[in-house]
Amino acid sequence: NAFGDRAPQFSHSGTRIAYMTNQRGKWEIAIMAYPGGQQLQIFDCPAADCRFPSWSVDDSFLAYNTLDSAGNVAEIWEINLATGVSEVLVPGVDKGRPNYSGDGQFCYFNATIDGNTDLYRINVNTLAIERLTISPDSEYAPDWGPG
């Protein structure tokens, strides 16, 4: 569309789609009904831009990464869909592409440290962060499949 909407993610219930939209002049996270297609809500972005939404397994949260004012990847935030409140899930810079695990206990993401990007996960209950890959190659955009 004219806003460049992208990165659609179906809810686990299959009744909603979260996506990035630039309708209000910056990237924000929005939700539309499926299959109807009507936009249900746009969430205010707490940073310069918000992108790449991911549904929690119970469809009650959306994780997304932010960009700072210079366009650099920043932190991972989480929207509580019942309240509409966003809070930082993974602080710091260069955190991107969040994706919840199928059991709902973790949120996977990529992070760049010392110029190399590896995969990490955060326990959403304890907030403990664990590095999963250590490689001279950069890994991006973790995905979680059925298992």
Side-chain angles (χ1 to χ4, degrees):
N1 63 20
F3 305 114
D5 293 350
R6 59 186 71 172
Q9 295 291 313
F10 275 88
S11 64
H12 293 275
S13 67
T15 61
R16 296 176 289 172
I17 301 171
Y19 58 99
M20 299 166 45
T21 186
N22 199 11
Q23 291 178 45
R24 302 189 298 196
K26 70 178 192 174
W27 289 110
E28 296 178 292
I29 305 302
I31 296 177
M32 74 167 53
Y34 180 81
Q38 68 273 26
Q39 183 172 289
L40 301 174
Q41 190 164 9
I42 296 179
F43 295 95
D44 291 330
C45 178
D49 288 296
C50 293
R51 55 191 210 154
F52 301 114
S54 174
W55 292 93
S56 65
V57 71
D58 64 0
D59 291 341
S60 62
F61 291 91
L62 282 171
Y64 58 91
N65 73 268
T66 59
L67 299 180
D68 65 20
S69 60
N72 299 309
V73 176
E75 301 173 309
I76 294 177
W77 285 64
E78 186 177 57
I79 302 169
N80 178 325
L81 296 175
T83 65
V85 174
S86 288
E87 294 183 3
V88 174
L89 180 61
V90 183
V93 297
D94 290 325
K95 310 295 190 289
R97 300 287 184 113
N99 199 322
Y100 288 100
S101 63
D103 62 8
Q105 293 194 27
F106 298 96
C107 184
Y108 292 82
F109 60 96
N110 54 255
T112 303
I113 298 174
D114 297 327
N116 189 56
T117 304
D118 284 301
L119 301 181
Y120 293 76
R121 71 180 182 180
I122 185 169
N123 182 307
V124 297
N125 298 308
T126 67
L127 303 182
I129 295 175
E130 178 183 7
R131 186 177 185 172
L132 301 174
T133 61
I134 300 173
S135 168
D137 298 322
S138 290
E139 293 93 19
Y140 294 93
D143 198 3
W144 186 268

